[in-house]
Amino acid sequence: MNCTQNNKLMQITPETMVVGVDIGSEVHFARAFDFRGFEFSKRAFRFENTREGFNAFDIWVTDLMKRNQKTKTFVGMEPTGHYWYGFGSHLQNMGVEFGMVNPYHVKRSKELDDNTPSKHDRKDPKTIAMLVKDGRYLIPYMPEGVYREIRNLMELRRQNVVQLISIQNRVKRWLAIYFPEFSTVFKKWTGKAALLTLKHFPTPQAVIKTGEEKIVATWKEEVKRAVGHKHAQKLIKAAEESIGLKHGLESAVLEIETLLDEYMIHGHRLELIMQKVEAQVKEIPSASMLLGIKGIGIVAVAGFLGAVGDISRFDAPEQIVKLFGLNLRENSSGKHQGKTTITRRGRSDGRYAIFQAVLPLVARNPEFRQLHLYYINRDNKPLKKMQSIVALCGKLIRVFYAILKTGSHYDAEKMMNDIKRPMMKAA
């Protein structure tokens, strides 16, 4: 990956035409410059986010290149949500190099030309092009094949989990209003007997009306584990002493039926998603070896692969650390020494995936657990617990990188080098 400032500048040569594009939901605007910032077009070129619009852009670029004797084009644009995907895919298919500029940089540098904070369709493409000319851009990665499938599936899983959590909270709210004593009978409302109860006789009034014999018979139809009369008696007693609302029960029953239907739909959908995720992960060489690390599951592996994509595009694990926004930044000036924190710039999904993977490792994996204890208890500059977790995130990234890059198995001995090296120095 050409990540350094010099490498980026080297891609913008005297033969390059730099095109800045302001991406919109339906219409895009472009302006063209040379490597010094001299503009080729008198006005911004307007083109729509359609096949015809992209073809018109190609014709416009080709004409400007011929008139100004340029041999290649480099397109810069601002990542405006998802609206750039279609245009980015078109450029990729046409073999045109393009880069993304940081929206924060655009906002900060747009006043350089006219000293005003104004924003409009003619101004923004120039600001974007000038940032590209100075090498202040990133090369976007558009995953293909199995990596695109995994990224899409993990995003779909995230959305589904959010919906499930929302439904669970709404069910808890419903129970707190209409049947607060339900939790004294069932530890979890998601258990089979609890779900059957909510499905067939959700309110205290319905429980009392149904009676002990019918309640037990309903449970035994689908629950293999015996849920007997004592449990039914406890449920009836809780219903008789319930302080839940006794009005509006018809609409309340409809609400809980709707929530349970949505819960079952999203639960089934999550199972299908994870089946597809497992199948896609198996397609990636060495990915199954990551699952050999004690405490690492399919969600952690797929989350990492979906955010990173093809590991071969990285030259070092530190690039992934920076991609996830886990690299450190220092806040200091003069005599003031501020706190050192992570930048949080980059792919938040990757940062979340690796963070969620490290937490169970600290609890279940002996090597990571021992390393965590060493970091927080060492004599020289001990880390706080959260600082140790962040350090272990970087460690796990390096482990994943080595396994995927070389195809080697997880080596617990190498994991302990951070502890062994200080001991050797002391000896």
Side-chain angles (χ1 to χ4, degrees):
M1 295 179 68
N2 292 327
C3 296
T4 66
Q5 187 80 2
N6 286 344
N7 285 328
K8 293 174 185 177
L9 287 170
M10 288 173 64
Q11 295 186 55
I12 310 300
T13 65
E15 291 74 33
T16 303
M17 183 174 74
V18 180
V19 179
V21 180
D22 182 32
I23 300 293
S25 59
E26 297 179 358
V27 177
H28 312 319
F29 291 87
R31 293 173 70 178
F33 304 83
D34 69 0
F35 77 107
R36 296 172 301 172
F38 179 82
E39 186 165 9
F40 296 144
S41 54
K42 293 183 178 179
R43 61 178 62 88
F45 179 74
R46 179 184 185 276
F47 63 103
E48 296 182 353
N49 192 32
T50 62
R51 173 61 59 189
E52 292 75 13
F54 296 164
N55 291 337
F57 173 81
D58 294 340
I59 295 171
W60 177 75
V61 167
T62 302
D63 180 61
L64 284 179
M65 287 178 65
K66 287 181 179 179
R67 281 194 283 154
N68 296 280
Q69 300 178 344
K70 300 300 178 183
T71 58
K72 75 169 188 174
T73 298
F74 193 99
V75 177
M77 51 186 165
E78 186 181 2
T80 309
H82 58 275
Y83 298 117
W84 70 274
Y85 288 174
F87 184 56
S89 178
H90 171 75
L91 293 175
Q92 191 175 48
N93 294 334
M94 297 297 293
V96 177
E97 294 182 85
F98 64 98
M100 311 297 291
V101 299
N102 193 320
Y104 182 79
H105 295 168
V106 175
K107 182 178 180 181
R108 287 295 184 182
S109 58
K110 65 184 178 181
E111 298 183 30
L112 294 177
D113 288 332
D114 54 10
N115 197 34
T116 65
S118 62
K119 173 181 173 64
H120 50 78
D121 298 330
R122 176 169 173 77
K123 183 177 180 179
D124 285 358
K126 181 178 180 181
T127 305
I128 293 169
M130 295 303 101
L131 289 170
V132 170
K133 174 181 71 68
D134 295 335
R136 305 185 187 282
Y137 63 90
L138 298 173
I139 301 296
Y141 172 64
M142 301 185 71
E144 300 177 347
V146 63
Y147 298 105
R148 170 55 69 181
E149 295 287 354
I150 292 176
R151 180 175 290 187
N152 291 346
L153 286 169
M154 291 308 292
E155 174 59 22
L156 190 59
R157 178 190 177 275
R158 185 195 66 79
Q159 295 173 3
N160 210 69
V161 169
V162 169
Q163 290 294 327
L164 276 172
I165 293 173
S166 174
I167 293 168
Q168 290 170 357
N169 290 335
R170 290 166 65 190
V171 171
K172 290 177 182 178
R173 175 185 178 276
W174 187 96
L175 289 171
I177 294 173
Y178 296 103
F179 202 165
E181 298 76 14
F182 192 85
S183 60
T184 64
V185 182
F186 301 100
K187 290 182 179 180
K188 295 182 179 180
W189 68 265
T190 54
K192 289 185 178 180
L195 286 173
L196 285 172
T197 301
L198 291 175
K199 181 179 179 181
H200 295 285
F201 27 88
T203 63
Q205 291 76 12
V207 169
I208 297 170
K209 185 178 179 180
T210 303
E212 181 180 331
E213 295 297 331
K214 195 172 180 180
I215 289 174
V216 174
T218 302
W219 286 344
K220 288 186 176 181
E221 286 180 3
E222 297 186 33
V223 182
K224 294 181 180 179
R225 181 177 59 84
V227 186
H229 289 271
K230 287 186 178 180
H231 218 71
Q233 292 169 4
K234 187 177 180 180
L235 177 65
I236 292 173
K237 183 179 179 181
E240 291 173 343
E241 298 176 354
S242 178
I243 60 171
L245 293 185
K246 297 176 174 58
H247 301 284
L249 298 183
E250 186 175 343
S251 58
V253 171
L254 179 60
E255 180 183 358
I256 194 64
E257 287 177 353
T258 302
L259 290 173
L260 293 178
D261 287 342
E262 291 179 359
Y263 176 75
M264 298 305 294
I265 290 172
H266 286 286
H268 179 64
R269 188 175 297 161
L270 184 59
E271 291 179 3
L272 292 177
I273 292 170
M274 291 313 301
Q275 289 175 8
K276 292 183 180 295
V277 167
E278 291 182 20
Q280 294 293 339
V281 169
K282 290 179 181 178
E283 298 292 323
I284 299 177
S286 305
S288 59
M289 295 181 182
L290 301 180
L291 297 171
I293 304 173
K294 185 177 180 181
I296 291 295
I298 187 66
V299 173
V301 173
F304 178 82
L305 293 172
V308 170
D310 188 356
I311 201 73
S312 64
R313 68 194 185 96
F314 294 95
D315 299 321
E318 287 72 25
Q319 293 174 335
I320 302 177
V321 171
K322 188 174 182 180
L323 175 69
F324 288 177
L326 290 169
N327 53 314
L328 300 179
R329 66 167 182 171
E330 182 181 350
N331 299 313
S332 60
S333 177
K335 296 181 179 180
H336 171 72
Q337 186 69 33
K339 292 182 179 180
T340 299
T341 60
I342 59 175
T343 62
R344 296 181 182 273
R345 298 278 180 89
R347 294 201 64 89
S348 59
D349 56 342
R351 185 167 62 249
Y352 177 81
I354 208 72
F355 182 81
Q356 290 297 317
V358 163
L359 293 180
L361 281 180
V362 171
R364 302 171 191 169
N365 186 288
E367 297 85 44
F368 276 87
R369 177 65 179 170
Q370 190 175 348
L371 201 54
H372 176 63
L373 293 175
Y374 164 73
Y375 284 156
I376 62 178
N377 295 312
R378 64 188 180 186
D379 296 331
N380 184 26
K381 296 181 179 180
L383 301 178
K384 295 179 180 178
K385 289 184 178 180
M386 187 53 66
Q387 291 175 326
S388 174
I389 294 297
V390 172
L392 290 175
C393 285
K395 188 75 171 179
L396 184 59
I397 289 173
R398 289 190 286 274
V399 171
F400 278 6
Y401 177 85
I403 293 174
L404 292 171
K405 196 84 169 182
T406 65
S408 57
H409 290 277
Y410 171 67
D411 189 342
E413 288 294 322
K414 288 184 178 180
M415 266 293 301
M416 310 311 295
N417 283 340
D418 286 3
I419 296 178
K420 291 181 179 179
R421 280 195 291 264
M423 292 178 63
M424 292 176 62
K425 290 180 180 179

